[in-house]
Amino acid sequence: MGEFFVYSFFFGALLLLFPIRAGAEVYFDAAENRAWFCISIFRLRLFGGYAELRGEGIVFHLTQKKAVILSYSQLSGARKKFGVTKGVQLMRLHRVMEFGGAHNAAMMAFAALFSAAGGAVYAVLQEMQPALSYKSRAIFYPHPCLKGSMELVALMNGLVVLAALAKMGMEGVYQWIRQRRWTIFSKKLRKN
């Protein structure tokens, strides 16, 4: 019986330290006002769908019957919730942009700006993530279009994921306690 606990502890510790490969793939088409995405772990698809810009915000269509709206006012709060921790190692960032109007000077300038921004992003990311594989390409077409794709792969271990989940759980409990205290306080004020 004692051996079972030793082996299970060793196996659990090994699982917490084992690297987890998480990936995200995004493809967008400006003409259709949509971006298709897929989130996966170990190349197994967790979920995917498409997003589109609407007047009320960004609409994420996860299934044919289920959609989530993220209003433009919530975007700043969403950025704070999903901050990248130091335990996440970016391994791959590949992006391709397809520009239409190869004979148009404005599109050529926009593509040059895209390439220059890609070089600056690579310089910053290479300092923070030395194992990063970064590729940035621009493709020109004679007919008008604006399309792009991006692949992002990160490595993390179970301990980092567990710490992030614990942090999110503690923030949820803190917000619940804060809301409950405010509700009790406001009820006392109304009685007086």
Side-chain angles (χ1 to χ4, degrees):
M1 186 74 169
E3 292 176 2
F4 173 74
F5 289 114
V6 171
Y7 288 134
S8 62
F9 176 76
F10 178 73
F11 185 69
L14 188 64
L15 276 179
L16 285 178
L17 298 176
F18 188 75
I20 298 171
R21 181 187 184 274
E25 297 174 5
V26 178
Y27 173 78
F28 77 91
D29 188 352
E32 292 190 29
N33 190 26
R34 289 189 178 174
W36 293 266
F37 61 91
C38 176
I39 309 293
S40 61
I41 292 184
F42 295 119
R43 297 191 189 261
L44 298 173
R45 181 179 179 220
L46 290 180
F47 63 90
Y50 68 94
E52 60 184 338
L53 297 175
R54 294 275 178 102
E56 58 270 3
I58 302 173
V59 180
F60 292 95
H61 297 271
L62 303 175
T63 64
Q64 287 184 346
K65 296 182 179 180
K66 184 177 182 181
V68 177
I69 297 175
L70 181 64
S71 68
Y72 296 120
S73 62
Q74 293 174 331
L75 284 178
S76 63
R79 184 182 62 88
K80 293 176 187 175
K81 284 184 182 178
F82 298 106
V84 177
T85 62
K86 291 186 178 184
V88 176
Q89 176 71 39
L90 290 177
M91 296 305 292
R92 181 182 305 151
L93 177 59
H94 294 181
R95 61 188 193 146
V96 176
M97 288 290 291
E98 300 175 13
F99 298 101
H103 305 293
N104 187 350
M107 285 307 267
M108 295 292 272
F110 188 66
L113 183 64
F114 172 77
S115 296
V121 166
Y122 176 68
V124 170
L125 287 177
Q126 189 64 29
E127 283 293 319
M128 297 185 311
Q129 309 285 338
L132 177 68
S133 166
Y134 181 82
K135 291 182 183 174
S136 178
R137 304 283 184 258
I139 301 172
F140 290 103
Y141 290 104
H143 57 276
C145 71
L146 181 59
K147 301 176 183 178
S149 65
M150 184 176 77
E151 179 188 13
L152 178 69
V153 175
L155 285 180
M156 63 198 88
N157 59 23
L159 194 58
V160 170
V161 172
L162 190 63
L165 290 175
K167 179 184 174 191
M168 287 174 32
M170 291 300 290
E171 286 175 355
V173 168
Y174 175 71
Q175 290 296 332
W176 179 77
I177 290 172
R178 222 172 131 201
Q179 181 66 28
R180 182 144 172 92
R181 288 177 69 193
W182 175 252
T183 306
I184 292 170
F185 179 71
S186 62
K187 285 181 183 178
K188 285 182 182 178
L189 283 178
R190 277 186 253 155
K191 286 182 182 179
N192 293 334

